[in-house]
Amino acid sequence: AQSVTQLDSQVPVFEEAPVELRCNYSSSVSVYLFWYVQYPNQGLQLLLKYLSGSTLVKGINGFEAEFNKSQTSFHLRKPSVHISDTAEYFCAVSAQTYNFNKFYFGSGTKLNVKP
Amino acid sequence: ETGVTQSPTHLIKTRGQQVTLRCSSQSGHNTVSWYQQALGQGPQFIFQYYREEENGRGNFPPRFSGLQFPNYSSELNVNALELDDSALYLCASSRLAGGGGTDTQYFGPGTRLTVL
């Protein structure tokens, strides 16, 4: 089975400052990795994903993440945050299995961008 | 391209009742997964349907059941509702390619279920 740990439940940051949201996973098989964002009272929106290839992945809204297989991490970064980035962010992992697409989610990190 | 839609958006039920939630998958997708997101937690996998059959299930009791229809839309049914079933229920659709691999799951806006 797979599991995901998001090390920070809340991250406060000032507008225009850089931010890193941490995600570590455990798995006995190869995985795909995802970051989703959830705004209040809404569903999940895909930010970015790692399936294969380059370990640095760029997503929407200026976010990027780097897959580190040796450290089993997939940290999310943004060089300069905006007030509108205030939301909850979820890291998810999916095992590379045949015809089965179960996602394991972390418990989420609430990003609070202050003016 | 039509996204994932869910209905209803909100629902209030009492303990012991039954509920049906509905999901329309994104165009071109053949797989639907259901998740339960309790307040302050990440989504928890309930089950997945692929080509109208359940092909994976999380740690949820049998009173959680589902269906997938030929047009790939889906229902989640919960019998004998308990207070702890209060949560946001998310539907996600994706396209599994035969022969393995996975694809991104696209989520609907969710149904907020409150059990009193």
Side-chain angles (χ1 to χ4, degrees):
Chain A
Q2 290 74 44
S3 68
V4 178
T5 301
Q6 292 184 243
L7 298 165
D8 305 298
S9 60
Q10 296 193 45
V11 173
V13 63
F14 287 104
E15 194 174 18
E16 298 183 6
V19 71
E20 178 180 82
L21 306 184
R22 296 180 292 170
C23 171
N24 286 87
Y25 70 92
S26 67
S27 176
S28 57
V29 299
S30 296
V31 296
Y32 301 112
L33 295 155
F34 304 80
W35 275 99
Y36 285 85
V37 60
Q38 187 175 38
Y39 297 100
N41 300 314
Q42 294 188 25
L44 302 176
Q45 179 184 359
L46 178 68
L47 272 179
L48 49 78
K49 60 185 176 183
Y50 172 79
L51 302 182
S52 64
S54 172
T55 57
L56 183 62
V57 179
K58 293 190 183 298
I60 63 171
N61 300 340
F63 284 94
E64 64 180 31
E66 186 160 17
F67 170 54
N68 187 320
K69 188 173 182 180
S70 62
Q71 296 187 3
T72 60
S73 68
F74 191 55
H75 300 332
L76 180 70
R77 302 185 183 101
K78 186 169 182 178
S80 176
V81 295
H82 302 288
I83 296 287
S84 59
D85 293 324
T86 295
E88 190 157 20
Y89 293 79
F90 291 94
C91 180
V93 62
S94 174
Q96 297 181 18
T97 56
Y98 178 82
N99 277 352
F100 185 49
N101 196 15
K102 176 180 178 180
F103 276 35
Y104 295 84
F105 284 87
S107 55
T109 297
K110 291 183 179 178
L111 177 63
N112 183 14
V113 182
K114 303 176 180 181
Chain B
E1 187 176 82
T2 305
V4 180
T5 60
Q6 292 186 242
S7 63
T9 54
H10 294 86
L11 204 53
I12 299 175
K13 291 285 188 179
T14 57
R15 198 169 45 180
Q17 284 189 311
Q18 178 265 343
V19 68
T20 298
L21 310 181
R22 295 178 175 83
C23 170
S24 292
S25 59
Q26 188 165 313
S27 175
H29 288 181
N30 56 13
T31 304
V32 174
S33 302
W34 286 91
Y35 292 82
Q36 180 194 68
Q37 186 180 16
L39 200 61
Q41 298 182 24
Q44 298 292 317
F45 176 76
I46 302 175
F47 45 55
Q48 179 180 80
Y49 278 82
Y50 172 60
R51 294 181 177 175
E52 302 179 56
E53 292 189 3
E54 183 181 301
N55 75 330
R57 191 177 184 93
N59 294 327
F60 281 81
R63 59 189 186 83
F64 285 78
S65 63
L67 285 173
Q68 187 181 31
F69 301 99
N71 65 355
Y72 301 124
S73 65
S74 177
E75 287 182 354
L76 164 65
N77 299 289
V78 187
N79 295 320
L81 284 168
E82 301 177 0
L83 297 179
D84 285 348
D85 295 333
S86 294
L88 180 68
Y89 287 84
L90 296 165
C91 164
S93 76
S94 58
R95 189 182 67 83
L96 278 178
T102 188
D103 202 350
T104 305
Q105 294 200 353
Y106 293 90
F107 285 80
T111 293
R112 174 75 62 187
L113 173 64
T114 301
V115 182
L116 303 175

